[in-house]
Amino acid sequence: MKKLVFTFSAIALLVACAPKTTEVIEKVETVENEKTIDFPSGEIAEGDYLFSEHCGKCHDLPKIDKYSEQKWRGIVPAMAKEAKLDAPQENKILQYVLWKKTL
Ligand code: HEC
């Protein structure tokens, strides 16, 4: 039964068109538990790369645990501007940071 719920969530994730970030995060967790399904983690992986590439230039690479989700939602847009990143790059970094906070 539990397995069925997980599978359903994963399907819901695949068919959802524009889920809110918090919903995505919840579903990422679900999919993480369901090892048989490959989560399309490209955006998060790219965010990881962009974060380590751009966010340690002017200061040390920030500790993700140090700030709340709410804080990050303000920090990332401000710092993406500092780092001269475009909106998709900013979004990938935010996805990565918020995903990392759920681990
Ligand atoms: C061009 C330089 C520059 C780049 C690139 C840069 N930062 Fe910053 N960052 C700063 C400066 C300057 C401050 C301190 C002043 C401030 O808080 O506005 C800061 C402060 C911060 C803080 C502390 C904020 C707080 O409220 O204590 C965090 C977290 C942070 N940056 C994250 C990032 C992330 C994530 C990236 C990559 C998207 C990034 N920074 C890229 C210049 C930069």
Side-chain angles (χ1 to χ4, degrees):
M1 188 54 196
K2 218 171 169 194
K3 178 119 178 157
L4 231 165
V5 173
F6 280 140
T7 310
F8 178 76
S9 303
I11 290 166
L13 170 65
L14 292 174
V15 298
C17 354
K20 291 199 191 85
T21 310
T22 47
E23 285 170 351
V24 171
I25 300 303
E26 273 169 29
K27 280 162 187 164
V28 167
E29 271 183 333
T30 309
V31 174
E32 280 291 302
N33 293 335
E34 179 53 278
K35 296 297 182 202
T36 54
I37 295 173
D38 282 334
F39 180 70
S41 59
E43 297 239 322
I44 288 169
E46 269 188 68
D48 184 0
Y49 172 76
L50 290 166
F51 183 82
S52 50
E53 191 76 357
H54 296 279
C55 302
K57 275 186 184 163
C58 305
H59 41 66
D60 287 345
L61 211 54
K63 294 249 184 304
I64 288 171
D65 283 350
K66 210 176 144 190
Y67 304 93
S68 65
E69 175 179 338
Q70 214 49 43
K71 273 268 183 193
W72 276 116
R73 287 181 182 278
I75 289 168
V76 172
M79 287 297 141
K81 216 172 165 191
E82 287 279 349
K84 297 190 167 44
L85 300 175
D86 61 21
Q89 289 174 315
E90 172 189 320
N91 190 49
K92 283 169 194 162
I93 291 177
L94 187 61
Q95 296 291 324
Y96 164 69
V97 167
L98 298 185
W99 169 76
K100 199 79 173 156
K101 278 194 81 69
T102 68
L103 298 182

